[in-house]
Amino acid sequence: MVSVGILLFPEFQMLNLSTTTVFEFANLEMPQPFYRVDLVSEKGGLVKSSMGFAIDTVPFGLRPYDTLLVAGDNDVLEASPGMLAYLQQAMLKSRRVTSACTGSFHLAAAGLLEGRKATTHWYHARAFRQAYPNVRLEEDRIFTVDGPLWTSAGMTACLDLALALVENDLGVEVAREVARKLVIYHRRAGGQSQFSALLEIDPKSDRVQTALAYARQHLQEELSVEQLAEVAHLSPRQFSRLFRSETGQTPAKAIERLRIEAARLMLESGDHAIDIIARETGFGDPERMRRAFLRAFGQPPQMMRRALQLQA
């Protein structure tokens, strides 16, 4: 059985406890429970959360953990000397040491992230860079993996991190089934931007949200207004008018942003040829994708790829 310790401290962010449900549902997929999850703290007992109520914990020195997950908080609180010493010991005893949200500040304070890549909540990225200049902060990532150290971005990104841990242990099918039962998308790739195009488009009604979700899952298709209107159960004229009133842009422009986001992710996370990326994301041909990248980023995909290679 894989032991998971979730390290809490006063004023920890409550959303981080949602990771326990990912491990719970992974257990339900197996013939026998695969994970044992403990909530741990420096002294054990009740630990006050960011919402004001307390959660019961056990002292963190009782047993070692295969996987340790450090919670984050809302205000980047300073870790105690005892907590930093425990993290340094955990690095020697645990297979994986992970953090959610601003928990990466505690890993960095313990010296675990020196020279390594990490991420954190975008809101605190500048403060992280100033405090820990030797950490290779990738502030536009959902989560990062650098050997035994895993870090996630803020808030719901902890779910992506937990699903990635399950996938690492039990395979992609188990992780996908857990995501389905939690009624969330199968985990976002670690390299995906924290700033989703869907969040920026910000549709209000269920009909427009449904059409955009369908579009993101079918980017290889033509995705005409008529096709999206049918998904939204509206006439093309009604759909176009509703879409523009909710998002301030045309359906065609929004679909292009979704395609650019998908193409950029493929560009950053693999060695796919440009023409394959263009085909897989629905641009059809490299020239059409090049023009879209110039509008969005001011540079073509090839130049972005070279910059990424030089950075690596």
Side-chain angles (χ1 to χ4, degrees):
M1 183 175 288
V2 170
S3 59
V4 178
I6 300 180
L7 178 55
L8 306 181
F9 47 86
E11 303 298 330
F12 72 91
Q13 168 50 242
M14 276 297 302
L15 186 59
N16 294 165
L17 291 185
S18 63
T19 55
T20 62
T21 304
V22 174
F23 299 120
E24 175 189 3
F25 274 72
N27 281 343
L28 296 177
E29 292 299 311
M30 308 304 292
Q32 299 291 332
F34 186 82
Y35 293 104
R36 188 196 77 240
V37 179
D38 290 343
L39 303 181
V40 301
S41 66
E42 184 168 1
K43 297 180 180 179
L46 294 176
V47 177
K48 184 181 175 183
S49 71
S50 59
M51 284 295 294
F53 52 83
I55 299 294
D56 199 18
T57 64
V58 298
F60 56 43
L62 291 182
R63 60 174 66 93
Y65 292 98
D66 172 89
T67 301
L68 182 69
L69 191 154
V70 183
D73 63 80
N74 296 333
D75 300 310
V76 192
L77 301 172
E78 186 175 348
S80 70
M83 180 174 165
L84 296 180
Y86 175 69
L87 290 175
Q88 291 164 355
Q89 287 297 311
M91 191 64 182
L92 302 175
K93 298 177 180 179
S94 299
R95 177 167 62 99
R96 298 177 299 208
V97 177
T98 74
S99 67
C101 194
T102 57
S104 56
F105 278 81
H106 302 317
L107 298 187
L112 305 187
L113 296 179
E114 286 290 301
R116 293 182 181 270
K117 64 182 179 181
T119 192
T120 192
H121 195 299
W122 62 266
Y123 185 81
H124 298 289
R126 178 176 295 181
F128 189 101
R129 285 189 184 279
Q130 292 173 347
Y132 305 107
N134 294 329
V135 179
R136 293 156 49 202
L137 184 68
E138 298 184 347
E139 60 190 79
D140 197 23
R141 294 292 179 268
I142 297 297
F143 65 88
T144 64
V145 181
D146 192 328
L149 288 160
W150 300 50
T151 59
S152 84
M155 308 313 286
T156 60
C158 65
L159 291 171
D160 299 285
L161 174 68
L163 284 167
L165 293 171
V166 169
E167 182 176 321
N168 184 250
D169 291 335
L170 299 173
V172 64
E173 292 304 324
V174 172
R176 182 177 289 118
E177 191 60 27
V178 171
R180 285 186 60 211
K181 290 185 176 179
L182 295 181
V183 198
I184 58 177
Y185 284 116
H186 181 52
R187 72 160 180 83
R188 295 169 288 182
Q192 186 170 333
S193 172
Q194 293 185 33
F195 303 97
S196 166
L198 280 182
L199 287 176
E200 293 181 354
I201 294 170
D202 193 25
K204 305 297 187 299
S205 68
D206 288 346
R207 295 193 178 199
V208 174
Q209 289 177 14
T210 299
L212 282 171
Y214 174 88
R216 191 165 67 171
Q217 295 171 5
H218 297 81
L219 288 178
Q220 288 181 320
E221 300 178 17
E222 182 181 348
L223 295 175
S224 63
V225 170
E226 289 75 16
Q227 186 177 359
L228 296 176
E230 184 177 352
V231 172
H233 302 292
L234 293 169
S235 71
R237 184 177 180 182
Q238 288 174 317
F239 176 75
S240 295
R241 185 166 59 244
L242 178 64
F243 195 99
R244 184 180 282 276
S245 69
E246 289 193 6
T247 68
Q249 58 189 286
T250 64
K253 184 64 177 177
I255 298 306
E256 180 178 280
R257 292 180 67 183
L258 292 177
R259 287 186 164 128
I260 288 171
E261 180 181 67
R264 180 186 172 192
L265 176 59
M266 290 186 68
L267 197 69
E268 293 179 349
S269 62
D271 298 323
H272 306 286
I274 296 296
D275 59 336
I276 292 177
I277 296 176
R279 184 172 66 249
E280 291 293 318
T281 56
F283 284 109
D285 64 82
E287 177 57 26
R288 184 181 171 195
M289 186 172 81
R290 187 186 73 86
R291 293 196 298 269
F293 267 63
L294 286 172
R295 286 191 292 271
F297 306 119
Q299 57 182 317
Q302 293 88 342
M303 186 175 294
M304 289 188 67
R305 167 163 283 173
R306 284 196 294 271
L308 288 167
Q309 290 171 342
L310 286 172
Q311 184 179 3

